[in-house]
Amino acid sequence: MDGSPAPDQFWAKLKYKNDDRSTGKIVEWHPLLAHSADVAAVTEALLQRTILRDRLAALIGWDELSDVHVARLSALAALHDAGKVNHGFQNRGHSTRPQAGHVRPIVDVLSTPSLQEKLLLPLGLGEMMSWFDGRKDPDHFLRATWAHHGEPVDSTRDQDTSLWEPDSRNPLDELKRLGEHVRSWFPDAFREGTPFPEGQSDFQHAFNGVLTLADWIGSGFPYADDREQNFLKRAQEIAEERLTKQAMLAKSYQESLETSVGFSGILKKEEWTPHPVQEIGLSHPVYEKGGLTVLESDTGSGKTEAAIARFFRLYQEKTVDGMYFAVPTRTAAKQLYMRVYETVQRVYERQDADPPPVVQAVPSYYKIDGVEGTPVAPFTVRWHDEEEEDEARERRWAAEGPKRYLAGAIVVGTIDQVLLSALQVRHAHMRGAALLRHFLVVDEVHASDVYMTRLLSAVLDHHLAAGGHAMLMSATLGTESRLRLTKKTVRDDDIPPPDEATQIGYPLVTHVSAERDDPTPKVTEPSGYRKDVLMTAERRADDPEAIARRAIDAAREGARVLIIRNLVEDCRRVQEAIENQLGAEASDLLLSIGDTPAPHHSRYADGDRKRLDAAIEQAFGEEDDDGNPIPIQGAIAVATQTVQMSLDISASLMMTDLCPVDVLLQRIGRLHRHDRSHPSGFEDPECIVLTPEERNLSSAIVRGGEKDGQGLKGGHGLGTVYSDLRVLDATWTLLEDEDLETWTIPDDNRRLVERGTHPHVLRDLVTEKMKNEPDDVAEAWDQHQNWVVGERTADAVSAKHVLLQRHKSFGHQQFGEDLEKVKTRLGQDNVRVEFSEPMPSPLPPNEGPSISALSIPEHLLRDRGEETVSLEDLEADDVQETDEGFCFIANEKRFRYVHLGLSRIEGK
């Protein structure tokens, strides 16, 4: 096209010069009919040639969707932008007034009787009525069709009817033209066929998700040059090409694996014999209508490989089109990503086939097929490799933004990306539909957070109802938690008492069909690797100098010492104490970037965090990038929870704050993780648990029983990071048990978890304190227990309030919960603070400005009692470079960023 072409037909998409609408200069436009065909063709491909066809059928209790039903849903998809014929929208292409959107006006037609017959009959709605059993279902499906921008839209009676009146353009003529094309594109839709059953709201929500996904994909199609061509045929050809490259059409990747993968196909050493727990997980039957596997086994027993092997079995049997592997933290996801990517590469190389793309689903960390990228504009990423952009663009599409992650083929990411598919947040339906394609794997499952557990349960309910497959993995899952995950309805008397629960075998595999009616766990033999960990509780949590001396002495004897604090502030205090004691020797023993020592926690810029991850893997890992063993030598890493899960690192000695026993066992998984030699004096693993000076956690309980953590000297996250003080006290009691001076892992895992988390144990603990402690202490514990029970109930109610109400007809539930509150509960409560000029990092190599933004936890941007800070981006003020780094002001609070990371300067 030449010049600045104004649309001479009804248009759907405009392209402005330099992609800048403010220029007002249109360089290209896409006809409404062409875009309608684009989205319809993608919808048709997704429903004809992916597992989504079976998933949607399962949601209405059918074995399959017929070609007629696929054609009907594709025809509805072709009508998704019918609202764009209104004058307010079309005026945007001609810089005239009035202007309007395209979703609200067409949805409003549903509550405007005078317009319904006038506008909807030309689209073919009269014939479409026979597609549905329910009288109201056409309304619900039209709402699901038109509200394709991320959330339901309610109709109002405040309709501007002039938007639809004929003038130089006639919207009615274009609606009729669109309806005629839909009939010609999808003639099967208008043939006889069983109507969709009445009131299947889950199905309506899922269809909206598929359509929204199709709209995202179809909106990236090239604009049509020929205004008279066969738009559907053109769109089908583009959809075939793009969906194949994106691996959403998985058939070619599934069939290129000509022989069974199994364990021998995924491991570096093909002759390796799988552990019993892995073999059982792989050999369990594949339920035709979906199933769930819960794998409880010790850290290092190969659960990750068990999940990958199970995935490839399902993938080859074409019961899934992909995998999403979810872990709790960004650090864990980045570490796990390379393991999964390398495994997928190995599997396909051994069968001489091209692998599907492997996406890293961690916001701000762009990675696919092992290649990193950098964002250069919204929805645009520059990839740092030699691939031709045109060749690789479609393959990398899913990696270029969080809303797309679940549309990837094989995806490794954080659990929050999964949970967002079940919440009342924009594009949840699209995420949910994309997730239905996958084998869902969730690692490090435990039940310390009722809110998160309820969200995960909602995801599983929908996933299994659609015939999906899932695996949950944990080294520390309590009996109550396992029952609630593997059984649809759990009564209190279903939960065995502690004595019985501690006798349940370990490792344990529970494999159930999607109905989850009769879970029957199966005990297996452990991996064979055991370690006897000497457990000591030392009241040093308040003494960073003593912690530093102990760590330095051990490191000088050749030990790799891992110190895990619950709070970033405590982490920094210990780091500073070690640096001060070591002086010039600090960079020799401490985790360092170049010659600059640094702790490992979450409050670093993205680039610095990447380098810290690489540094700790190099200092505490088993092999280097070339697969050679890393020599064990004296080293100290001071960290927070960022290192406790999914990282393949190994310490000779561990020092950790008191935490719940299930979390403590996760941390111990980083101690003597590899079966390798350790220096003299550290041949046997030892874990020192740092506790407060006073053996009285009741000082962290304030009036009404609420935890506070400020009553304890130093706090140390006892009552803040971990709010149920009963669990912490039970863990402390375990450490004081003379019969448990040594914990044998994994033999003692079941006993330890039940004695530290079982609800009966926790109630009995408080009962004993009420009998034996002074009145004020007894009353505090009684109030705290009541507060915990109330909070758990409130969390369950809160979770229910923010969940998608899929049991309600689409459009009859609006998103009422504030998005910021939802994000906060998911741990996404960081505020991005941007710098007008990039600042240099305090960590080497200091090669010029590299930090353009920092993520700051919302609570650091306000004082106690101040209102919650908006999660919108902020710009830093009064930015000043210093000898140690730089400082700045955000939301009237002053911060510094140095080699110790980000911290707030108190009182300023």
Side-chain angles (χ1 to χ4, degrees), residues 733-800:
T733 301
L734 287 169
L735 294 167
E736 295 169 331
D737 189 336
E738 293 182 357
D739 294 332
L740 284 172
E741 289 184 358
T742 298
W743 291 6
T744 300
I745 309 299
D747 298 14
D748 290 336
N749 280 31
R750 178 74 66 204
R751 177 169 55 145
L752 292 167
V753 170
E754 298 300 341
R755 285 183 56 180
T757 66
H758 195 288
H760 295 180
V761 170
L762 302 181
R763 286 197 295 267
D764 290 345
L765 179 149
V766 174
T767 300
E768 285 298 310
K769 290 184 179 296
M770 292 179 66
K771 289 178 181 178
N772 301 318
E773 297 286 356
D775 289 347
D776 58 335
V777 175
E779 181 181 3
W781 279 106
D782 184 40
Q783 290 181 344
H784 178 65
Q785 177 159 263
N786 291 336
W787 177 84
V788 169
V789 172
E791 280 294 289
R792 291 172 68 89
T793 302
D795 279 350
V797 172
S798 178
K800 182 178 180 181

Side-chain angles (χ1 to χ4, degrees), residues 801-820:
H801 182 59
V802 300
L803 284 168
L804 278 180
Q805 304 297 308
R806 289 190 169 101
H807 63 281
K808 293 183 179 180
S809 298
F810 190 92
H812 287 191
Q813 174 220 357
Q814 304 306 306
F815 288 0
E817 179 68 20
D818 181 51
L819 175 60
E820 294 181 3

Side-chain angles (χ1 to χ4, degrees), residues 835 839-840 851 854 880-882 885-888 895-897:
F835 302 99
M839 299 300 294
I851 298 175
L854 285 169
Q880 299 179 16
E881 193 169 346
T882 68
F886 58 89
C887 59
F888 61 94
F895 295 86
R896 68 164 59 91
Y897 187 74

Side-chain angles (χ1 to χ4, degrees), residues 544-557:
E545 298 295 332
I547 297 170
R549 286 193 295 272
R550 179 72 175 89
I552 291 170
D553 289 346
R556 283 176 171 163
E557 294 178 35

Side-chain angles (χ1 to χ4, degrees), residues 11 28 101 109 112 133 176 213 243 283 305 310 312 495 587 598 675 713 720 747 859 876 893-894:
W11 61 273
E28 200 172 1
V109 168
T112 311
D133 256 347
K176 182 178 180 182
L213 176 60
L243 292 177
S283 61
E305 288 72 26
R310 180 74 178 178
F312 274 114
I495 302 171
S587 61
D675 189 14
K713 181 182 177 182
T720 50
D747 298 14
H859 72 272
K893 310 295 185 295
R894 181 163 285 280

